[in-house]
Amino acid sequence: MKNINNVIRVKSYFKVIELKPIIYKENKNKSGIYRWTNLITGKSYVGSANCLSNRFKKYFSAYNIKEILKTSKSVICNSLLKNGYENFQLEILEYIVFHSGISIKEKKEVLLGREQYYLDLLKPEYNILRKAGSRLGAKHISKSIDLMREKALAHKHSEKKKLS
């Protein structure tokens, strides 16, 4: 099955809310690359996960999405809430099977490498960052900046106490 970007999809889900149990079951303990596509605007988001079903559970949790939005400007999370899941398609672009004994670091490198391939190929509009796994160029909301500043100051203070 091909789409307009000439990418062969492994799986494609419409009516994702109705299909949540199937999505979880079919992607349980599977690693891979996925894409959310807004059926109204055509804009998309590409991501990767070591356990796809766990990642999708986070997307389907309104509580989790709201928590993410407290500290970041996730365009895909905003769009899912604003446009509704019924206006999105979820695709599995690629499953990645790892051999036993592969380290977590190696898994991450493979996943990010494949995610980068799709970021370069598809140029998804909802991905703020253009480099997979990198926070370079990310913009934090003011609340996040304040929390990071407080944490850094607390750490600096505890280090000074240790030295005294």
Side-chain angles (χ1 to χ4, degrees), residues 42-53:
K43 293 180 180 180
S44 65
Y45 174 84
V46 170
S48 64
N50 188 41
C51 183
L52 289 167
S53 62

Side-chain angles (χ1 to χ4, degrees), residues 39 68 72 75 110 136 158:
L39 299 172
I68 290 169
S72 74
V75 181
V110 170
L136 187 62
S158 77

Side-chain angles (χ1 to χ4, degrees), residues 2-3 7 11 14 26 28 34 41-42 46 55-56 62 66 68 79 83 85 98 110-111 118 120 129 140 142-143:
K2 287 196 175 194
N3 67 13
V7 173
K11 293 204 182 276
F14 292 91
E26 289 182 350
K28 186 175 183 178
Y34 61 91
T41 65
V46 170
R55 178 65 50 86
F56 298 150
K66 289 174 185 172
I68 290 169
S79 190
N83 295 294
Y85 292 90
F98 294 109
V110 170
L111 283 165
Y118 288 105
D120 294 341
L129 307 174
H140 297 281
S142 60
K143 185 176 180 181

Side-chain angles (χ1 to χ4, degrees), residues 9-13 26-27 30 90-93 95:
R9 302 180 291 247
V10 177
K11 293 204 182 276
S12 187
Y13 304 100
E26 289 182 350
N27 294 286
K30 291 184 180 177
L90 176 60
E91 300 165 285
I92 307 302
L93 300 176
Y95 285 121

